[in-house]
Amino acid sequence: MLLAGFILLTDDQAAAAVFTIQPQNEAESKDTKIYSSVAGSNFSSNLKVVSADITDFRSLVQFDLSAVAGLMAADITTASLRLYVTGLNTNGLSAATSVPVTVSPILGHWRETSADPGTAPLATWSAFFGTTPTISYGAVSATQNAAGVGYFDWDITSLVKSWKDGRQANYGVFLQAPGPLGDVGIADTDTPAFAP
């Protein structure tokens, strides 16, 4: 779920409003995970971030933001990314009770599946980290400690403002656990029971 707070000016007063974007199907979001050991493929059965000292998974998420197309960067006071953490230690190799998970902007078009239209590269480990990368990601925009099961929020206000004022294009976000012993399961963005 992307929560974007903004100010809506009326004739004689300013009123705060909250806008919620909650994908309900594959058409409204893209998500996948990539894995270092299967570098040419991606996986969309669930999301996961695992640090390199365990096995190294990363995840990608992108929401359709056309519902807030009319907002300007100056209108946005806060924006949060809310994802449902399904558990820690999903590989059984970590005893960590709190794991930092970072969010960075993806810096180019990507496809979730090979069946998706267009010529953008398929999101794979090789596309990001291979000998000739075709997709990249930027600096960390937000960090949140995942500590158990439930919803966790990342403050992505500055990132959303950069999307709205044209400094960056919205290609979604790249999630990772920088480690050590980071192992976090995250619900798919199109899972209704744990909708983002």
Side-chain angles (χ1 to χ4, degrees):
M1 172 187 318
L2 178 73
L3 301 174
F6 63 95
I7 301 299
L8 174 65
L9 298 177
T10 61
D11 290 336
D12 55 324
Q13 64 182 11
V18 174
F19 209 94
T20 302
I21 298 169
Q22 190 167 40
Q24 300 297 309
N25 56 53
E26 287 286 337
E28 297 173 355
S29 69
K30 294 191 302 187
D31 64 353
T32 194
K33 69 178 179 242
I34 59 176
Y35 182 27
S36 61
S37 292
V38 189
S41 299
N42 69 17
F43 307 89
S44 59
S45 59
N46 57 35
L47 299 178
K48 184 183 287 192
V49 289
V50 180
S51 58
D53 60 317
I54 297 177
T55 188
D56 222 344
F57 279 94
R58 318 282 171 95
S59 288
L60 294 76
V61 175
Q62 183 179 10
F63 294 154
D64 175 4
L65 299 183
S66 59
V68 293
L71 290 181
M72 304 295 289
D75 299 327
I76 299 168
T77 57
T78 60
S80 298
L81 172 67
R82 175 173 288 171
L83 297 173
Y84 189 86
V85 171
T86 58
L88 303 180
N89 192 24
T90 57
N91 289 289
L93 299 173
S94 171
T97 57
S98 178
V99 176
V101 177
T102 62
V103 170
S104 303
I106 298 171
L107 302 178
H109 289 286
W110 55 282
R111 287 183 299 146
E112 180 180 10
T113 71
S114 56
D116 290 344
T119 59
L122 180 66
T124 65
W125 188 270
S126 292
F128 280 93
F129 305 108
T131 54
T132 54
T134 54
I135 316 171
S136 63
Y137 61 94
V140 171
S141 295
T143 302
Q144 176 61 270
N145 285 326
V149 174
Y151 282 101
F152 290 87
D153 295 340
W154 288 259
D155 181 349
I156 57 170
T157 305
S158 62
L159 178 57
V160 173
K161 283 178 172 279
S162 75
W163 290 340
K164 295 305 293 179
D165 69 13
R167 287 179 286 144
Q168 291 188 62
N170 170 24
Y171 300 117
V173 294
F174 192 79
L175 298 132
Q176 55 189 330
L181 296 178
D183 185 356
V184 181
I186 302 171
D188 284 354
T189 63
D190 56 356
T191 303
F194 306 114

